[in-house]
Amino acid sequence: MSTADTPQRFRLAYVPGVTPAKWVRIWRDRREDVPLELVALDVAATAPAVADGTVDMAITRIPDALAHTDPGPHHCISLYEETTVVVVPKDHVLTAGDELTLDDLTDEHFLWPLDEPLVVSERPGESVDHRPETTADAIELVAAGTGLLLVPQSLARLHHRKDLVYRPVVDAATSTVGLLWPDPTAALADDFIGIVRGRRASSSRGEAEPAPKRSAKEKAAAKRAAREAAGKVPGKSKRRPAPGRRRSR
């Protein structure tokens, strides 16, 4: 993180499967004076990085990241929820369905990588004794026929192979992608939150809220008041004679 003796910068961590490119591009357009540095981390490493100041903010999977380490005083907001899928060999019987349930997986063997991209309290089927180090390693073992893998859909896409396919598991635990940052909120962190939330460059966090919509009754009352102020109330207006004509006596 920046100090008084170092140039100001903003370090943003992100986890595999997350694509922050749009937000990074907007940041660089708006804050040319503050370089944004991207730091790729596994989910389990994001909370410690926030806690010790290695990064200013992390785009990570919540609450999975918090299940690994307490980041200390912090804030987090949810951005979107990911679909959970099961990765299987291309010729596996489970590929016959477009969607699956946990009941469909009870007879299968599953790999649970140590980087835990998805925290599942009640794991389906049976667990393979060996736990691969990473999701990428687990994908290799699925292709070798060792077991199946439950992951967020973005990771299945990231590690796509021609010999593997994935199917949504409609009742499986899901993961939420969100922002995690330390408390109190620094000014640069607030700037990035504004970008993610679609805040305009000219607006500020303390900008007044838009006026609430008026009811039909309130609109009618306002219109009537405006007409009275302009002297256009029915029965009270005076007709002026046309130009060039004199009013008879």
Side-chain angles (χ1 to χ4, degrees), residues 167-247:
R167 293 290 186 268
V169 183
V170 295
D171 56 349
T174 59
S175 182
T176 300
V177 172
L179 293 179
L180 174 66
W181 72 95
D183 178 40
T185 302
L188 292 179
D190 184 58
D191 286 346
F192 191 80
I193 294 167
I195 289 172
V196 171
R197 287 179 165 172
R199 194 185 304 161
R200 296 188 302 274
S202 59
S203 66
S204 64
R205 188 176 184 180
E207 188 176 26
E209 294 291 329
K213 292 183 178 180
R214 294 180 297 177
S215 65
K217 185 176 180 180
E218 291 172 328
K219 290 180 180 179
K223 187 175 181 179
R224 184 168 59 251
R227 288 176 63 84
E228 289 176 355
K232 296 181 180 180
V233 179
K236 294 184 179 182
S237 62
K238 295 181 180 180
R239 299 179 64 183
R240 295 180 180 179
R245 294 180 60 184
R246 298 180 61 185
R247 187 178 299 176

Side-chain angles (χ1 to χ4, degrees), residues 57-68:
M57 180 175 281
I59 307 176
T60 186
R61 293 185 174 88
I62 301 170
D64 304 358
L66 304 180
H68 291 282

Side-chain angles (χ1 to χ4, degrees), residues 76-100:
C76 58
I77 57 174
S78 299
L79 300 178
Y80 57 89
E81 190 171 353
E82 294 186 287
T83 298
T84 296
V85 302
V86 59
V87 182
V88 302
K90 194 172 184 179
D91 58 354
H92 197 282
V93 66
L94 290 177
T95 60
D98 293 331
E99 293 182 341
L100 302 172

Side-chain angles (χ1 to χ4, degrees), residues 81-199:
E81 190 171 353
E82 294 186 287
T83 298
T84 296
V85 302
V86 59
V87 182
V88 302
K90 194 172 184 179
D91 58 354
H92 197 282
V93 66
L94 290 177
T95 60
D98 293 331
E99 293 182 341
L100 302 172
T101 66
L102 290 174
D103 285 342
D104 297 322
L105 309 178
T106 54
D107 297 329
E108 304 299 332
H109 289 76
F110 280 86
L111 294 154
W112 301 100
L114 293 173
D115 61 5
E116 292 194 80
L118 180 69
V119 176
V120 181
S121 57
E122 296 184 10
R123 295 176 174 177
E126 296 185 24
S127 298
V128 175
D129 290 337
H130 171 66
R131 296 194 65 185
E133 289 288 332
T134 66
T135 301
D137 294 334
I139 291 287
E140 295 291 332
L141 292 175
V142 174
T146 305
L148 309 185
L149 178 66
L150 276 180
V151 290
Q153 183 171 291
S154 61
L155 287 181
R157 290 173 174 168
L158 178 66
H159 298 290
H160 172 70
R161 291 174 52 125
K162 292 182 179 180
D163 54 352
L164 299 178
V165 296
Y166 60 84
R167 293 290 186 268
V169 183
V170 295
D171 56 349
T174 59
S175 182
T176 300
V177 172
L179 293 179
L180 174 66
W181 72 95
D183 178 40
T185 302
L188 292 179
D190 184 58
D191 286 346
F192 191 80
I193 294 167
I195 289 172
V196 171
R197 287 179 165 172
R199 194 185 304 161

